């Protein structure tokens, strides 16, 4: 099928397709975590605490920028997915052209402005003076890499919108591998490479992202991907203001949601820090495990969003419902199993971060006994919110997150703390997660006027005289019957 290498997410067995799509996404997430760990390892060994402090401060700015861009890239992903599902290649290419111009312009502007304002940004953050010079050097190179980082992330998300999650994984593997190799070489000046100090760590990101992005674009062009516009279609790079408005208006709530989560995490950490270094270290060790426990649900959430977007575009809302059921059951299974394993060997695993004789170790075990199970309802809520967002209904998931974090989790911790001490903080996690599930589930099952099932990003209907584009068969009716194979899958998932 010309121009499209990913599977058709609007047909075939849901469970098998969902797992096949989610595994490369999970692999990409794990690779990014490993990359950050490896970079921090080299910086800490070569430059010590000052280098770690500088890197952490600069990285906070970098992650904030990525979080802000995440919403718009996700909106572009959903738009492309809905257009692909609707077999409307003309609209898909129009979205791709506008998104390409938008992300190039946005990333260049952020890169230039960020480089100029770097000292002021770090001063506003209160970066310790001893680490500020290194932080400035690091962050300025990171801002220079921002155009490559933003456009790389956009292309990865866009490929998932077309139904292809494997190609982004392969290039993420290449990017992380290059970054890990270049980091010590540029940091310490090994062999023919210049000794750049902390700027070398950031330069490795710039070089690895630049090389990988170039190779990815060459690969997509040679594969005749719909994401790479040929010279004859360069007129589509002229931005469509309606599409830009849709990406920004739909992407902003998703970006705000990322910030809401980050600010809530910082607030909870401030509560923890009041109990001293042992409790703080225990919480830090426990949260390291939480990062990996959440990954399967996050990968499944990305998969169901892409699958749902294509099926929404195809008008197969009954299949969207089945994607939600299978995705939610898989979230319970693939979040619950790691939790069971961790609960069985908790002290052993935590010793990767804490000494066996550390007073923090039993505290960390206690924290996990209370809070670890909260990621099961959170994972299911993440799936349901991903389904809802795939239609373009982006404000209700944001509202649910704001309520569960800022009206429930944080107040519960604050109100119960005088009575329960630190346990109030750990109990606030399952209470907040259950609230998120109740709100997300309530909105998902609500089918009243203005519900998410009636929401759409844009009009996806192809014109009546549009030629066959090779994107697939004509749009199926919404009342598509469930197949015997899908019935068996639903039964197996329910039993699981």
């Amino acid at each position: 099928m010309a121009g499209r290498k990913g599977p058709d997410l609007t047909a075939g067995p849901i469970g098998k397709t969902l797992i096949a799509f989610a595994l490369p996404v999970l692999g990409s997430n794990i690779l990014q975590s490993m990359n950050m760990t490896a970079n921090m390892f080299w910086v800490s060994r070569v430059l010590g605490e000052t280098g770690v402090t500088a890197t952490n401060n600069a990285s906070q700015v970098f992650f904030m920028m990525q979080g802000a861009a995440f919403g718009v890239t996700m909106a572009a992903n959903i738009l492309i997915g809905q257009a692909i599902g609707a077999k409307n290649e003309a609209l898909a290419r129009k979205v791709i052209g506008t998104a390409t111009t938008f992300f190039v312009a946005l990333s260049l502007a952020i890169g230039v402005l960020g480089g100029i304002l770097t000292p002021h940004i770090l001063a506003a953050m209160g970066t310790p003076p001893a680490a500020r010079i290194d932080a400035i050097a690091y962050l300025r190179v990171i801002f220079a890499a921002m155009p490559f980082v933003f456009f790389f992330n956009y292309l990865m998300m866009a490929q998932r919108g077309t139904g292809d999650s494997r190609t982004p994984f392969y290039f993420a593997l290449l990017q992380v591998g290059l970054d890990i190799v270049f980091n010590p070489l540029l940091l310490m000046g090994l062999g023919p490479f210049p000794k750049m100090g902390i700027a070398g760590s950031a330069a490795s990101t710039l070089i690895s992202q630049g090389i990988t992005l170039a190779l990815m674009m060459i690969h997509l062009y040679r594969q005749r991907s719909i994401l790479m516009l040929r010279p004859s279609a360069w007129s589509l790079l002229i931005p469509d203001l309606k599409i830009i408005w849709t990406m920004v208006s739909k992407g902003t709530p998703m970006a705000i949601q990322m910030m809401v989560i980050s600010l809530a995490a910082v607030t909870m950490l401030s509560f923890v820090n009041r109990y001293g270094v042992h409790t703080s270290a225990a919480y830090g060790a426990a949260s390291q495990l939480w990062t990996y426990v959440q990954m399967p649900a996050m990968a499944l959430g990305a998969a169901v969003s892409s699958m749902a977007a294509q099926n929404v575009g195809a008008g197969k809302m009954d299949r969207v419902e089945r994607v939600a059921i299978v995705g939610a059951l898989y979230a319970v299974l693939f979040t619950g199993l790691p939790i069971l394993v961790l609960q069985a060997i908790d002290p052993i695993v935590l010793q990767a971060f804490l000494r066996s004789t550390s007073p923090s170790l039993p505290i960390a075990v206690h924290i996990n006994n209370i809070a670890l199970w909260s990621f099961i309802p959170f994972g299911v809520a993440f799936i349901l919110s991903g389904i809802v967002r795939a239609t373009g209904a982006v404000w209700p998931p944001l509202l649910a997150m704001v309520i569960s974090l800022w009206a429930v989790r944080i107040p519960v911790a604050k109100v119960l703390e005088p009575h329960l001490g630190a346990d109030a903080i750990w109990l606030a996690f399952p209470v907040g997660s259950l609230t998120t599930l109740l709100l997300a589930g309530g909105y998902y099952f609500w089918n009243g006027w203005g519900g998410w099932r009636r929401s759409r990003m844009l009009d996806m209907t192809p014109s009546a005289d549009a030629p066959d584009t090779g994107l697939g068969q004509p749009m199926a009716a919404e009342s598509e019957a469930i197949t015997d194979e899908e019935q068996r899958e639903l039964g197996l998932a329910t039993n699981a």
Side-chain angles (χ1 to χ4, degrees):
M1 183 159 26
R4 179 176 173 192
K5 298 301 178 185
D8 183 359
L9 302 181
T10 65
I14 290 174
K16 181 180 178 181
T17 304
L18 187 60
I19 293 298
F21 192 97
L23 283 176
V25 179
L26 176 61
S28 298
N29 292 343
I30 293 173
L31 283 171
Q32 292 302 321
S33 295
M34 291 172 60
N35 190 27
M36 288 187 289
T37 301
N39 288 353
M40 190 62 69
F41 171 85
W42 285 113
V43 169
S44 65
R45 293 298 184 277
V46 176
L47 301 175
E49 292 181 358
T50 302
V52 171
T53 302
T55 303
N56 278 334
N57 276 262
S59 294
Q60 290 302 315
V61 180
F62 177 59
F63 294 142
M64 190 184 303
M65 294 294 99
Q66 280 196 309
F70 168 81
V72 186
T73 56
M74 189 66 189
N77 171 29
I78 293 171
L79 273 171
I80 293 169
Q82 288 188 7
I84 293 288
K87 321 304 178 191
N88 191 340
E89 185 177 4
L91 179 58
R93 291 186 181 278
K94 199 171 186 181
V95 170
I96 289 161
T98 294
T100 298
T101 301
F102 178 82
F103 280 106
V104 168
L106 177 67
S107 60
L108 287 172
I110 290 176
V112 172
L113 286 175
I116 295 171
L117 298 175
T118 287
H120 305 288
I121 294 171
L122 292 170
M125 290 176 62
T127 303
R132 193 168 297 177
I133 293 176
D134 280 348
I136 289 172
Y138 184 90
L139 189 55
R140 276 188 165 148
V141 179
I142 285 294
F143 272 119
M146 203 66 79
F148 302 106
V149 173
F150 271 26
F151 200 69
F152 181 76
N153 288 340
Y154 156 66
L155 277 182
M156 287 184 68
M157 294 288 282
Q159 286 174 82
R160 292 170 185 168
T162 66
D164 179 10
S165 64
R166 290 187 181 183
T167 302
F169 168 72
Y170 296 141
F171 281 99
L173 182 62
L174 174 63
Q175 185 269 318
V176 170
L178 289 174
D179 201 352
I180 290 174
V181 170
F182 281 122
N183 205 295
L185 296 178
L186 294 170
L187 193 64
M188 296 182 283
L190 301 177
F193 294 90
K195 184 177 181 179
M196 299 177 65
I198 196 166
S201 182
S204 72
T205 298
L206 188 156
I207 294 169
S208 62
Q209 287 279 8
I211 292 173
T212 307
L213 176 60
L215 293 174
M216 178 190 283
M217 293 177 67
I218 292 170
H219 171 77
L220 293 175
Y221 193 85
R222 293 182 63 182
Q223 294 296 311
R224 304 190 66 82
S225 168
I226 192 174
L227 299 175
M228 292 290 106
L229 299 177
R230 300 277 159 174
S232 60
W234 282 356
S235 60
L236 294 174
L237 293 171
I238 300 173
D240 184 297
L241 295 182
K242 184 177 181 181
I243 292 174
I244 288 179
W245 169 248
T246 301
M247 288 195 303
V248 173
S249 62
K250 298 295 186 180
T252 298
M254 290 185 274
I256 293 174
Q257 183 169 328
M258 297 290 289
M259 295 179 186
V260 164
I261 293 171
S262 297
L263 288 172
V266 170
T267 303
M268 294 298 283
L269 181 59
S270 69
F271 292 169
V272 174
N273 287 339
R274 293 203 294 260
Y275 288 89
V277 66
H278 295 314
T279 300
S280 183
Y283 178 73
S287 60
Q288 286 290 323
L289 299 183
W290 297 354
T291 300
Y292 291 95
V293 168
Q294 292 178 81
M295 281 186 178
M298 294 178 70
L300 285 166
V304 299
S305 290
S306 295
M307 287 187 71
Q310 285 198 19
N311 284 282
V312 166
K316 299 182 178 182
M317 293 306 294
D318 59 328
R319 185 173 168 87
V320 171
E321 302 272 4
R322 298 200 295 276
V323 169
I325 293 170
V326 174
L329 292 169
Y330 279 166
V332 172
L333 178 65
F334 294 118
T335 305
L337 283 178
I339 290 175
L340 279 172
V341 173
L342 287 175
Q343 290 277 262
I345 59 172
D346 211 3
I348 299 172
V349 177
L350 286 167
Q351 286 177 40
F353 312 104
L354 300 168
R355 296 190 311 274
S356 60
T357 57
S358 171
S360 299
L361 185 60
I363 301 174
V365 172
H366 178 67
I367 293 171
N368 277 342
N369 286 337
I370 296 174
L372 198 56
W373 293 97
S374 66
F375 291 102
I376 295 178
F378 179 82
V380 176
F382 197 79
I383 298 298
L384 298 181
S385 296
I387 293 287
V388 168
R389 277 194 297 265
T391 66
V394 292
W395 285 102
L398 169 61
L399 184 60
M401 191 61 67
V402 170
I403 292 172
S404 63
L405 292 179
W406 290 95
V408 176
R409 177 179 289 179
I410 291 174
V412 162
K414 199 168 184 64
V415 169
L416 294 181
E417 197 175 7
H419 309 285
L420 300 177
D423 280 354
I425 301 171
W426 325 137
L427 284 169
F429 281 95
V431 172
S433 293
L434 287 169
T435 303
T436 305
L437 177 58
L438 288 173
L439 293 173
Y443 185 73
Y444 173 83
F445 288 108
W446 178 56
N447 198 25
W449 180 84
W452 63 272
R453 292 167 179 82
R454 295 174 176 80
S455 179
R456 296 294 182 273
M457 288 284 218
L458 292 170
D459 180 12
M460 297 288 165
T461 308
S463 59
D465 57 348
D468 183 4
T469 62
L471 286 175
Q473 299 300 317
M475 186 164 52
E478 185 171 325
S479 60
E480 175 198 26
I482 184 169
T483 66
D484 291 339
E485 187 170 5
E486 287 173 350
Q487 284 180 336
R488 288 194 298 273
E489 279 185 357
L490 289 173
L492 286 172
T494 304
N495 291 335

